[in-house]
Structures are given as C-alpha cells and as structure tokens.
Amino acid sequence: MSRIQALLGILLIARYVEGSCRGRCGEDYDRSNPCHCNSRCQEFNNCCSDYKGICLNWGSSCANGRCWERMDPAYRCQCNSECARFGDCCADYGAECLGEKGSKVEPPEKVGAGHEPEPPKSEGDACVVEPDGDACVGEKKSRWTRDAENVVEPSSPGTGGGACATSTGSSVSGKELSCLAQLLWDGDVNRASSSQYTLNLQGKIARHELDHHEDQASANLFTYMDEATLFAKDTYSAYVALIDNYVARTGTHEEVTSQETAEINAFLDVIQGTDVIIKLHEFLANKGLASSDMATFMADLKEMWFGLYSRSGGRALDSSGFEHVFLGEFKRGKVSGFHNWITAYLLEKDGLADYYGYIWDKEPGILAAQLRWGSLYKDLGSMFYGTSPEFDLAMYTMCYVTNPDRMCRFDMAGASVAIQTWSWGKSSYGDGKKYLASAYPA
C-alpha cells in the first residue's frame, strides 16, 4: 500500500470516528454510522456536530463537487444537464459547472468509465424533502421514461393479489408493484366519483417560495363534498370517527380510551372485508412478507399503524403512524405528516385549516398543497384525493412492507407514481418489527 493510500484510509476512518459531515452531505441513511448528514437527521436528533455548518446550504449550490450528479430530491436545486429543462438549476450552476467563471467541470460520461449518470428519476422524485421528511415538491413534467415492463393493463374482475407475485422470494419487482397497485386502484369501489367533490386549486406556489407563506388562494380548496353519500359508506364513517381521538401536539401522552380502542377495531374490521385489503394481503402473504392468516395480518397492521411511540424523546407516547400520516401533528413549530384529503376537507370545513395554494397536481389524483393549521404551517403536504381511506392505507402499507425507508415506484392508472416511506427506528413491536413513521406520495 502506498503512503497516499494509507493516508486516505486513515482520513476515511477518522471521518467516521470523529462523526463529521465533510463529504457526506445528503448521503443515504446508514445505521452503522455514529451520526448522520441527511435531510432528516435534525428530526431524529442524530446529526453530526458540524452538520449545520457544512450541509444546510449544500442543496442550494453546485459547489463542492455537485456538478453532473443525478437529480436528488433532498436538494432545493440541481446541478445536472437536465436542470435547465426543468427550471431547477442552482444559481451557480453556470459558474460552477459550465465554466462561466473560467473552470469548466466535464460531465462524468466524458471523464472515464464508471461514471455514467443514472437514469433520471420519476416525476415524483423531483422534490424537496423537508427536515421532517414529509414534504416533497414535485414537477408536473416527468424526468423519466416509463419502463414498458412496468406498465400494466386494468385488471380483470376477480383477479387476486397473489396473481401479481410473479417472482420467487420476498424481493418485489417494479412490475409486481405495478400489477398490485393497479389491482388496488381497480378494486377501490369506495373511491369518490368526480361528481362527489370539487377542488378549487387557485394559485400555484413555486418551490423556492414555500417558506414565504404567502396566501395564493382566497377561497377554500374544497368547494363541494357529497358528505351524505360518501360519509355514509362504512369505511368513511369509521375513519371519520377516529379523527377526534388524537392530540395533535407532540409531547402530550395519547390516552387511548376503551371507546377509542373500539373505534380503531371497528375501522380495521370494516376495511378488512374490502377488496383492496384482501388483495394486498394475498400478495404480501404470497411473497412471504405477511402471515397467510388474515387475522394475524390485521393484528400486525394494527400495531404497525396504531401502535404508539414517542416523537418527544421518550417523554410521552404521543404518536403513531396513523396519526402522523392521516391526521397530522404539531412538532417544532410546524405541521408534520398530514397526508389525507378527507382530513384536509374536515379541517377546512371547521375553519381550522386555511388553504394557501398548491405546488403540484398530477395523475391519477395526487395533490401537493400548502396550508395553515391554526398558527402553524404545513409547507408541503402531499396526498391522494378522491380515494377511500382503505385505499390510502393499503397503498402506503404496500410500499412500507416491500420498500421500507425508500422511494417506492410503480405505474398505476396510466401514470407513474412514487411513495416514500419511513420506519420508526427508536422503538419496536412484536419480534423487533418497526412501527411505520411516515408515508406519502412523492
């Protein structure tokens, strides 16, 4: 080993021993590291000590080696050859990457093998992830070409979820996900029709203006909702009954009464018989990712979504996957989570939420919106709209079980869709299983 190689090895080891973010900003989470440098480390209080000094402005500049990197949703602007097309180049892209300051950085495909740029990500990945991991700002255009192998036709009536499990083993391909997602979409018989609700999107908010909190919508987001029909459906009424069971502010212990437990059980009981949950279970069981027994599967689903854990450093059991994703929470002076259209409607109807505008609206019905809940803001909340509660839970579960802590990509209803999921790593249930921390369309 040369002296230079030895020195580099020492420096690499020192980087991790010292817990520095130098050269690590935006890297993927690795549980073996003593501290982290990604966009969510502030939420989990596990950033390296120099994170703020090194990484907070990392996503706003092309300096420090970002030229020609692939599109990264954690950054507010990009530094690759596609950024001009999509209007998301960093301000110093020309100076740092194109040689406008006298020193051009060659694209990786020109500087040697092994540096081929990866294919652009889906339109769901053209996003900004906030520190709480729940905001994603997408572009209406797609940065990718859909994989023809993942495109699926509408399912035939009676097709079971197991039919989509075409490969052996527990790993799940994009084609299998697309097949199952299409089954769930086609099986969502409780989805609202276009005549049962009306959205008034109004002003669009640019992603670099998210923190300006300027109201671009003078009217409500929802101008009509057929409550008499929709909320009379069993799954909707059971879902609505859960909404007042939770305290939004983290740090306050959730007292679960016998009545609230009964309401959780009632919701799970009624969705258990729906086509989307049945087909989800069939698929996961076929892949060995869930018990073949429906009762056991539903018990696991209950713990995964409704089991309580602490987002306040252990001071209180104050959160659950269901509360965070479907209802939203108050944490560190902002709204965290909040990814359900029925919840958004009810809060707006009661005068608790003020819709500020949308960031994107894309097929097959996914909205990213900004709103103010009381005095706190949700800079970007993404959600399916028109879909039933059981469909949302099934889709998020599908991605969480098959692609935990990753972007889950598939085709559904003729569109490319992406869902990001996160697990809760500070506590567990059962035999070391992780609670769901967050899930949302990207």
Side-chain angles (χ1 to χ4, degrees):
M1 181 184 293
S2 69
R3 180 177 299 178
I4 292 178
Q5 288 176 316
L7 179 59
L8 288 175
I10 292 171
L11 289 174
L12 182 62
I13 294 171
R15 186 190 81 178
Y16 287 95
V17 171
E18 295 171 2
S20 173
C21 284
R22 194 166 302 280
R24 296 174 55 199
C25 296
E27 70 177 6
D28 292 337
Y29 173 80
D30 185 340
R31 67 175 65 251
S32 66
N33 292 340
C35 60
H36 304 280
C37 306
N38 54 52
S39 59
R40 299 192 75 218
C41 69
Q42 293 185 105
E43 176 188 357
F44 293 102
N45 295 316
N46 59 8
C47 299
C48 295
S49 59
D50 57 1
Y51 171 78
K52 290 185 178 180
I54 293 178
C55 297
L56 285 188
N57 294 322
W58 176 259
S60 302
S61 170
C62 290
N64 300 318
R66 286 191 58 206
C67 292
W68 315 118
E69 68 179 6
R70 65 175 182 170
M71 197 283 294
D72 192 320
Y75 299 150
R76 289 189 174 273
C77 58
Q78 306 302 324
C79 303
N80 53 54
S81 59
E82 289 287 287
C83 70
R85 175 186 170 198
F86 289 93
D88 57 3
C89 296
C90 295
D92 59 357
Y93 169 68
E96 293 290 339
C97 305
L98 300 181
E100 294 175 6
K101 68 175 185 178
S103 178
K104 183 177 180 180
V105 178
E106 292 295 332
E109 59 266 34
K110 294 183 179 180
V111 298
H115 292 278
E116 285 293 322
E118 295 190 21
K121 295 184 180 181
S122 74
E123 73 177 89
D125 287 350
C127 61
V128 174
V129 181
E130 289 186 338
D132 70 354
D134 291 332
C136 191
V137 185
E139 293 291 344
K140 189 66 176 179
K141 294 180 181 178
S142 175
R143 282 179 171 263
W144 75 326
T145 300
R146 291 172 61 205
D147 184 349
E149 294 184 355
N150 287 351
V151 178
V152 294
E153 298 298 325
S155 56
S156 301
T159 303
C164 293
T166 56
S167 65
T168 58
S170 59
S171 62
V172 179
S173 68
K175 185 175 182 179
E176 288 175 309
L177 283 177
S178 295
C179 176
L180 178 58
Q182 189 64 48
L183 277 182
L184 302 185
W185 178 264
D186 294 338
D188 188 17
V189 296
N190 288 327
R191 182 167 59 246
S193 67
S194 58
S195 65
Q196 292 177 318
Y197 68 96
T198 304
L199 301 183
N200 182 15
L201 297 182
Q202 303 167 79
K204 187 173 183 178
I205 302 173
R207 47 182 186 176
H208 66 274
E209 297 176 342
L210 283 175
D211 57 356
H212 295 182
H213 299 153
E214 295 177 357
D215 197 342
Q216 303 295 327
S218 59
N220 283 353
L221 170 61
F222 294 90
T223 58
Y224 173 69
M225 179 73 77
D226 184 3
E227 284 194 37
T229 302
L230 279 179
F231 289 11
K233 295 182 178 183
D234 289 346
T235 60
Y236 284 79
S237 60
Y239 173 77
V240 171
L242 299 173
I243 292 179
D244 64 356
N245 290 353
Y246 297 89
V247 178
R249 190 170 303 280
T250 57
T252 303
H253 186 74
E254 294 286 358
E255 296 288 349
V256 183
T257 67
S258 58
Q259 176 63 32
E260 290 169 350
T261 298
E263 290 172 348
I264 291 172
N265 291 335
F267 173 70
L268 292 171
D269 286 345
V270 73
I271 70 170
Q272 176 178 329
T274 63
D275 204 34
V276 294
I277 297 298
I278 290 172
K279 289 180 176 179
L280 171 69
H281 172 239
E282 290 172 344
F283 177 84
L284 295 179
N286 192 285
K287 297 294 292 183
L289 296 171
S291 170
S292 60
D293 178 66
M294 174 61 89
T296 302
F297 170 67
M298 293 303 296
D300 183 67
L301 212 61
K302 180 179 180 180
E303 286 298 320
M304 180 192 305
W305 280 98
F306 292 93
L308 294 176
Y309 50 81
S310 177
R311 290 185 186 265
S312 55
R315 293 191 301 275
L317 291 177
D318 54 6
S319 185
S320 67
F322 178 82
E323 179 185 9
H324 184 85
V325 173
F326 283 85
L327 309 183
E329 300 176 294
F330 300 163
K331 183 178 180 182
R332 296 179 182 171
K334 67 169 68 174
V335 177
S336 181
F338 194 87
H339 303 290
N340 182 262
W341 75 294
I342 295 297
T343 301
Y345 163 73
L346 291 173
L347 286 176
E348 186 178 66
K349 174 189 174 184
D350 293 341
L352 299 175
D354 182 7
Y355 171 67
Y356 268 45
Y358 76 105
I359 298 88
W360 45 256
D361 172 36
K362 60 188 179 184
E363 298 297 335
I366 304 174
L367 178 69
Q370 182 171 109
L371 57 83
R372 179 171 54 82
W373 181 353
S375 62
L376 305 182
Y377 289 92
K378 179 65 182 179
D379 286 348
L380 188 291
S382 58
M383 62 195 73
F384 291 103
Y385 60 84
T387 51
S388 68
E390 62 268 29
F391 175 84
D392 287 10
L393 189 140
M395 293 300 297
Y396 294 145
T397 301
M398 175 189 80
C399 284
Y400 179 65
V401 174
T402 63
N403 289 272
D405 301 307
R406 288 186 292 169
M407 193 74 77
C408 172
R409 301 182 184 91
F410 51 90
D411 286 339
M412 180 180 73
S416 299
V417 181
I419 291 175
Q420 175 72 55
T421 68
W422 299 106
S423 61
W424 187 255
K426 297 183 180 181
S427 57
S428 60
Y429 69 93
D431 187 20
K433 292 185 177 182
K434 294 182 179 181
Y435 296 107
L436 183 145
S438 190
Y440 50 91

